[in-house]
């Protein structure tokens, strides 16, 4: 079976600078993979390229999603095909109500899938359900998107959006940074509840701690724009103990 | 550390510039047009057509005399070729509307009825619009007013200005020019000389007007100007909410719209005046469009009176407009809420004047300017506190949103305080629609056009929420529509 996400020999430039340098990664449907790596190694760049952000130029290599080359697709087209990115730095949209925003997103996606749009009542009950599961502050769903949210609240809002949008591939870019201990557990439970044979996760993190909660099928080490080592969940433990120096040495 | 910000490039905003104007059609209707040119004779002719009393003709002529000695203001941050006032026709009316005197709603020319239907303003007293009474002004004349009888039962007068001159001359004479005198400024004097029609509202003591009153202005004839005059009087303890909307056909020529609006609020009265302005803005190269040079002013004449201006300005090639409040009565309140959107080559120089004269007077100014393409947006506002205005307070907030690298936003606040007790607060901000905000929306499946509209509406929310419900949705759509094709 073809993997859900298949990246081969990917080279990406940002503003003329090469950030990803021959990256290979495969995530089969139903699996959860973790990517770890030092600051500036290209983890967020990878996440943005998967989501189709402009300004990231693919100079070589290929990205396939569901067997299809998606490198020419617009971000919204990928989103509608089930790609979701939980941002490392969620963006504020002043004045736009959080619930309204999410309803617009859900209906936009449903529309493109040929499903009927949810009316206000149906949407609200879906929202209520997810809010409760994530122990999310009710007030936050009435406030403008991320405006004035604390760092942790922003991250939880990303996960709320994910649980409402129900993607096929969810890329979580350092969702754990900034979360307190309880929030980390709640978010991890939220993710675990969503794990299924029909859905894959790419979890970017710096900390083994998260991977105690969300146990990955595989762990990859990204360094200087390439995956330099891959292994089972034990790899994260070793990295935590030894740092990245060792991993680099392996490929040197 | 957040990743480096990328702003939207000119190419990305290019398509934004291609906005569709939905109301650009022309109604094919037989029109009586006075030949271009301005003279005493033309003014006499207009006055005669309207069968006006001598005092009003004299007032017009005095204004004309003043105007001849005045020069066009040039302090606003707008530029346009010199206007030839002799190339404009000052009166145009559909023949069917003026022949055989005023018409009942059932007798309106079907062509005019269709026009308003196309504009989304059916001239019928139907259920759906049961909460809104409409005065429809087409070029220089009012062609219909709905719910007149129903309002009259409460003593509320809502009719065309021309009709008010005939039916309620004492009220018109008492208040006309008391807020915006015929000597006020170049465009106001011009309007005083040649004004043709507009709306008149009088709400008697203690009456809360149960419907939204609204006037829909439509320019149709070419090479004409529209010079409407609106006068609203809220007697003691009364309340009225009034809304105006406006559109015009797409044409390569510029057309002048120089209106005057006067509001008078007596003791404990409240007037809420809202505008959704969507005159033809010109094409993407700046050809054509309306010059919207308007003088609007309200007088809070009585104690505890309250006037709010809310405006959503999305149309016109040039907007020059400063709805203001004279806070004469003690404890009176003036408010100005504005969203001005300029795209392509549109220019807007708009703001307000709050003149605090009475004690404990309070004013609030919230201005949101949105500039896209080569649009230029200037907020120009004055807060003036006179020596007697003890304990006056003002809060001003002016925010600008820029879309694309070629747009411009400017804030010009004038503050003039002659009472040491006055408390003034001013906040200002400028932001851009960032590529990060757009990407965030698109990553959630939202179209870039829809995303821009969402972001713009969010930015304008504090002002849109001041609009009457019936029109908030319309205005929201307009802000969306105007930015259609925003990002490539
Ligand atoms: N828009 C941009 N312009 C210039 N350089 C960029 C841009 N975006 C990313 N980079 C650079 O690319 C490199 C990789 O950045 P990226 O954000 O992918 O790292 P990361 O692995 O996510 O790091 P962190 O762990 O700190 O989040 C960095 O050196 C960064 O400065
Ligand atoms: Mg990162």
């Amino acid at each position: 079976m073809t993997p859900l996400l298949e990246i081969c020999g990917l080279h990406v430039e940002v503003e003329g600078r090469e950030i990803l340098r021959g990256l290979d990664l495969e995530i089969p449907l139903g699996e959860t993979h973790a990517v770890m790596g030092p600051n500036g190694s290209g983890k967020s760049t990878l996440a943005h390229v998967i989501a189709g952000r402009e300004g990231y130029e693919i100079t070589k290599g290929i990205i396939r999603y569901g067997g299809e080359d998606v490198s020419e697709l617009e971000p919204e087209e990928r989103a509608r095909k089930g790609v979701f990115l939980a941002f490392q730095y969620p963006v504020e949209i002043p004045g736009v109500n959080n619930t309204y925003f999410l309803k617009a997103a859900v209906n936009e996606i449903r529309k493109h899938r040929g499903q009927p749009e949810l009316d206000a009542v149906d949407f609200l009950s879906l929202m209520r359900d997810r809010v409760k599961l994530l122990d999310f502050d009710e007030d936050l769903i009435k406030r403008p998107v991320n405006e004035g949210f604390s760092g942790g609240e922003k991250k939880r809002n990303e996960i709320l959006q994910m649980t409402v949008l129900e993607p096929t591939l969810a890329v979580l870019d350092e969702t754990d940074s900034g979360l307190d201990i309880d929030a980390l557990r709640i978010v991890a439970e939220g993710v675990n509840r969503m794990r299924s044979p029909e859905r894959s996760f790419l979890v970017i993190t710096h900390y083994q701690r998260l991977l105690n909660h969300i146990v990955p099928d595989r762990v990859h080490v990204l360094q200087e724009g390439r995956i330099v080592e891959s292994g089972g969940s034990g790899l994260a433990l070793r990295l935590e103990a030894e740092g990245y120096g060792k991993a680099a040495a392996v490929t040197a | 550390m957040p990743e480096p910000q990328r702003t939207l490039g000119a190419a990305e905003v290019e398509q934004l510039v291609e906005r569709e104007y939905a109301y650009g059609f022309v109604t094919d209707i037989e029109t009586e047009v006075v030949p271009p040119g301005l003279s005493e004779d033309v003014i006499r002719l207009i006055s005669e057509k309207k069968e006006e009393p001598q005092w009003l003709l004299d007032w017009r002529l005095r204004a004309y005399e003043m105007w001849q000695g005045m020069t066009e203001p040039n302090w606003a941050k707008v530029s346009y070729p010199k206007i030839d006032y002799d190339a404009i026709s000052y009166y145009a009316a559909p023949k069917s509307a003026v022949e055989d005197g005023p018409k009942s709603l059932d007798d309106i020319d079907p062509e005019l009825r269709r026009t308003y239907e196309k504009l989304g303003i059916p001239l019928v007293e139907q259920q759906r619009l049961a909460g809104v009474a409409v005065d429809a002004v087409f070029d220089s004349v009012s062609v219909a007013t709905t719910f007149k009888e129903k309002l009259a039962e409460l003593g509320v007068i809502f009719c065309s200005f021309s009709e008010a001159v005939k039916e309620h001359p004492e009220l018109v004479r008492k208040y006309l020019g008391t807020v915006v005198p015929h000597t006020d400024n170049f465009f106001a004097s011009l309007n005083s000389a040649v004004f043709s029609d507009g709306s008149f509202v009088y709400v008697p003591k203690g009456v809360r007007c149960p419907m939204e009153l609204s006037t829909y202005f439509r320019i149709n004839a070419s090479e004409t100007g529209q010079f409407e005059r609106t006068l609203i009087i809220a007697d003691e303890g009364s309340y009225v909410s009034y809304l105006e909307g406006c559109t015009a056909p797409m044409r390569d020529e510029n057309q002048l719209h120089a209106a005057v609006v006067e509001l008078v609020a007596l003791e404990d009265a409240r007037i809420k005046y809202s505008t959704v302005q969507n005159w033809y803005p010109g094409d993407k190269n700046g050809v054509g469009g309306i010059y919207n040079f308007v003088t609007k002013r309200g007088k809070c004449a009585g104690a505890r009176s309250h006037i709010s201006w809310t405006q959503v300005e999305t149309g016109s090639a040039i907007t020059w407009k400063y709805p203001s409040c004279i806070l004469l009565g003690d404890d009176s309140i003036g408010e100005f809420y504005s969203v001005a959107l300029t795209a392509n080559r549109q220019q807007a120089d708009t703001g307000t004047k709050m003149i605090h004269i009475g004690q404990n007077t309070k004013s609030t100014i919230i201005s949101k300017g949105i500039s896209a393409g080569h649009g230029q947006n200037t907020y120009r506002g004055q807060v003036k506190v006179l020596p007697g205005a003890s304990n006056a307070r003002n809060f001003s907030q002016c925010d600008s949103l820029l879309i694309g690298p070629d747009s411009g936003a400017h804030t010009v606040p004038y503050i003039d305080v002659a009472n040491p007790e006055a408390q003034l607060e001013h906040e200002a901000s400028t932001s851009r629609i960032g590529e990060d905000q757009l990407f965030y929306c698109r990553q959630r499946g939202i179209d870039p056009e829809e995303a821009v509209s969402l972001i713009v509406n969010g930015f304008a929310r504090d002002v849109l929420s001041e609009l009457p419900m019936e029109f908030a949705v319309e205005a929201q759509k307009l802000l969306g529509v105007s930015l259609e094709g925003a990002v490539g």
Side-chain angles (χ1 to χ4, degrees):
Chain A
M1 200 177 110
T2 51
L4 177 65
L5 181 70
E6 195 180 1
I7 299 177
C8 309
L10 190 68
H11 288 254
V12 169
E13 285 183 13
V14 181
E15 317 221 327
R17 215 181 114 196
E18 184 162 74
I19 310 289
L20 299 186
R21 303 166 187 171
L23 185 138
D24 300 299
L25 180 68
E26 283 189 7
I27 306 182
L29 188 63
E31 290 196 5
T32 294
H33 289 207
V35 168
M36 304 181 80
N39 294 130
S41 56
K43 302 183 298 298
S44 294
T45 302
L46 171 64
H48 287 143
V49 173
I50 293 171
R53 188 166 192 163
E54 277 164 39
Y56 291 75
E57 202 201 332
I58 298 176
T59 52
K60 232 193 273 174
I62 199 158
I63 303 184
R64 282 199 206 93
Y65 170 78
E68 178 194 6
D69 178 357
V70 291
S71 48
E72 295 300 318
L73 291 188
E74 300 294 338
E76 60 274 21
E77 294 173 309
R78 301 186 201 197
R80 291 165 195 161
K81 286 177 184 286
V83 175
F84 178 89
L85 169 60
F87 285 60
Q88 182 175 2
Y89 305 105
V91 179
E92 302 191 1
I93 311 180
V96 177
N97 178 281
N98 214 1
T99 306
Y100 182 85
F101 176 76
L102 200 42
K103 179 161 170 260
V106 165
N107 281 335
E108 203 57 53
I109 289 171
R110 291 180 70 94
K111 202 165 69 193
H112 284 87
R113 288 182 182 161
Q115 296 165 320
E117 296 190 17
L118 291 184
D119 63 20
V121 179
D122 288 346
F123 180 75
L124 220 62
S125 73
L126 171 71
M127 190 84 169
R128 286 244 166 76
D129 177 65
R130 300 300 193 270
V131 161
K132 211 176 288 154
L133 281 176
L134 288 173
D135 198 18
F136 197 80
D137 185 350
E138 279 265 6
D139 268 0
L140 292 178
I141 68 168
K142 294 180 204 140
R143 283 189 14 204
V145 181
N146 294 324
E147 198 186 11
F149 283 25
S150 76
E153 287 168 345
K154 284 182 183 170
K155 295 300 180 69
R156 279 164 84 153
N157 197 27
E158 296 292 287
I159 296 304
L160 174 69
Q161 294 184 9
M162 179 187 78
T163 58
V164 172
L165 294 173
E166 300 180 330
T168 308
L169 173 66
V171 180
L172 313 186
D173 191 356
E174 290 196 33
T175 301
D176 54 333
S177 324
L179 291 181
D180 66 42
I181 299 161
D182 291 339
L184 183 72
R185 187 179 38 78
I186 291 164
V187 162
E189 279 168 10
V191 170
N192 285 334
R193 237 190 326 267
M194 284 185 75
R195 287 174 77 163
S196 93
E198 303 303 317
R199 179 173 292 131
S200 304
F201 288 86
L202 173 59
V203 180
I204 296 169
T205 183
H206 284 296
Y207 305 107
Q208 145 66 20
R209 193 183 53 183
L210 176 71
L211 304 181
N212 286 337
H213 295 280
I214 305 172
V215 181
D217 297 296
R218 293 204 51 85
V219 176
H220 307 275
V221 181
L222 205 171
Q223 230 169 335
E224 291 169 10
R226 265 180 306 185
I227 301 294
V228 295
E229 194 180 356
S230 300
S233 60
L235 176 56
L237 279 169
R238 204 195 81 212
L239 289 171
E240 179 107 333
E242 300 175 8
Y244 293 114
K246 210 46 169 272
V250 172
T251 54
Chain B
M1 189 198 67
E3 57 254 13
Q5 286 279 310
R6 221 165 57 83
T7 48
L8 300 178
E12 285 170 279
V13 193
E14 180 59 27
Q15 271 140 308
L16 161 130
V17 172
E18 276 165 43
R19 34 197 297 213
E20 292 275 333
Y21 186 72
Y23 308 102
F25 64 92
V26 180
T27 305
D28 187 11
I29 196 162
E30 220 186 321
T31 304
E32 181 189 355
V33 184
V34 168
L38 185 50
S39 64
E40 253 194 55
D41 287 345
V42 168
I43 292 165
R44 285 178 196 282
L45 185 72
I46 293 171
S47 186
E48 197 178 305
K49 280 190 182 300
K50 302 208 163 274
E51 299 165 20
E52 285 176 356
Q54 185 64 36
W55 67 263
L56 191 49
L57 174 62
D58 292 344
W59 191 77
R60 287 175 179 276
L61 292 173
R62 281 202 303 279
Y64 179 58
E65 208 186 310
M66 275 299 301
W67 179 77
Q68 284 174 302
M70 294 167 111
T71 44
E72 215 170 304
N74 61 3
W75 40 261
K77 196 176 160 40
V78 295
S79 62
Y80 53 93
K82 205 167 164 38
I83 298 172
D84 179 358
Y85 289 91
D86 280 322
I88 298 172
S89 164
Y90 290 84
Y91 183 88
K95 282 204 172 128
S96 59
V98 283
E99 274 161 12
D100 322 316
K103 303 264 190 314
S104 80
L105 278 179
D106 300 330
D107 300 332
I108 302 167
D109 183 327
E111 199 53 47
L112 287 172
R113 190 187 289 286
R114 265 196 295 280
T115 297
Y116 282 90
E117 263 159 28
K118 262 164 99 171
L119 297 170
I121 319 285
L123 298 177
V124 284
E125 298 182 349
Q126 64 174 28
Q127 215 54 38
R128 189 174 71 80
L129 281 172
V132 184
V134 180
D135 183 24
V137 177
F138 191 89
D139 289 329
S140 302
V141 291
S142 163
V143 295
T145 310
T146 61
F147 292 110
K148 239 162 42 180
E149 283 79 22
K150 190 159 176 235
L151 289 165
E153 287 167 19
L154 291 161
V156 174
I157 303 169
F158 178 45
C159 62
S160 72
F161 201 96
S162 311
E163 195 181 327
V165 169
K166 285 192 188 124
E167 308 291 328
H168 311 281
E170 68 299 337
L171 281 172
V172 175
R173 196 169 185 177
K174 184 170 171 191
Y175 290 105
L176 179 69
T178 59
V179 188
V180 179
H182 67 282
T183 53
D184 195 79
N185 69 68
F186 184 84
F187 295 113
S189 295
L190 176 63
N191 173 286
S192 304
V194 302
F195 76 88
S196 34
D197 221 337
S199 300
F200 177 84
V201 176
Y202 172 78
V203 190
K205 271 186 200 173
V207 171
R208 192 185 158 87
C209 185
M211 293 182 177
E212 301 285 343
L213 305 185
S214 86
T215 304
Y216 196 90
F217 295 100
R218 174 74 178 169
I219 294 179
N220 187 60
S222 62
E223 277 138 35
T224 59
Q226 193 178 51
F227 303 91
E228 93 258 4
R229 186 124 196 153
T230 293
L231 176 56
I232 299 178
I233 301 138
D235 213 326
E236 290 171 21
S238 68
Y239 167 87
V240 62
S241 170
Y242 174 92
L243 183 125
E244 61 171 354
C246 23
T247 57
M250 290 157 87
R251 289 213 174 87
D252 288 347
E253 49 167 304
N254 294 109
Q255 282 180 281
L256 178 62
H257 173 257
V260 170
V261 174
E262 296 180 278
L263 311 182
V264 180
L266 301 181
E267 212 170 282
D268 291 306
R270 164 139 203 217
I271 302 176
K272 190 171 160 57
Y273 190 106
S274 315
T275 303
V276 176
Q277 188 262 106
N278 188 23
W279 293 118
Y280 178 54
D283 72 7
K284 69 172 179 175
N285 300 313
V287 176
I290 302 291
Y291 293 162
N292 190 35
F293 299 158
V294 170
T295 304
K296 292 183 169 178
R297 198 173 299 148
K299 181 155 56 177
C300 284
R304 294 169 303 279
S305 53
H306 184 165
I307 290 179
S308 338
W309 298 101
T310 304
Q311 59 174 24
V312 177
E313 306 280 321
T314 63
S316 296
I318 303 178
T319 296
W320 179 99
K321 176 178 171 191
Y322 315 90
S324 304
C325 295
I326 302 169
L327 303 170
L328 194 62
D330 290 347
D331 301 290
S332 60
I333 298 173
E335 290 166 325
F336 174 73
Y337 301 102
S338 169
V339 176
L341 179 143
T342 52
N344 296 333
R345 304 272 166 181
Q346 281 179 280
Q347 310 170 56
D349 193 299
T350 184
T352 184
K353 269 193 226 173
M354 292 290 174
I355 302 167
H356 293 255
I357 302 173
Q359 295 182 10
N360 307 319
T361 45
K362 212 169 106 181
S363 61
T364 302
I365 299 172
I366 305 222
S367 160
K368 305 271 181 177
I370 301 150
S371 323
H374 290 83
Q376 292 294 323
N377 217 316
T378 301
Y379 166 79
R380 189 182 302 278
Q382 183 182 35
V383 179
K384 192 177 173 125
V385 179
L386 272 62
S390 303
N391 203 22
R393 276 184 292 162
N394 164 266
F395 172 75
S396 302
Q397 183 185 336
C398 305
D399 298 324
S400 307
L401 183 68
L402 297 171
I403 307 172
D406 302 319
S407 58
H410 320 275
T411 301
V412 192
Y414 303 89
I415 290 166
D416 186 356
V417 179
N419 184 305
E421 287 173 35
Q423 291 176 40
L424 276 71
E425 228 181 298
H426 182 92
E427 290 174 7
S429 76
T430 301
S431 51
R432 285 184 179 274
I433 290 197
E435 185 268 343
D436 58 337
Q437 286 179 323
L438 272 176
F439 176 62
Y440 190 72
C441 296
R442 296 176 73 181
Q443 208 305 300
R444 300 304 185 240
I446 298 169
D447 275 321
E449 287 84 2
E450 178 68 25
V452 170
S453 152
L454 207 71
I455 294 166
V456 166
N457 274 292
F459 173 75
R461 192 180 66 150
D462 292 348
V463 173
L464 296 179
S465 64
E466 292 295 325
L467 284 176
M469 261 298 270
E470 288 91 332
F471 303 103
V473 178
E474 185 64 33
Q476 212 163 327
K477 256 191 269 164
L478 218 50
L479 286 177
V481 165
S482 325
L483 290 164
E484 210 156 273
V487 198

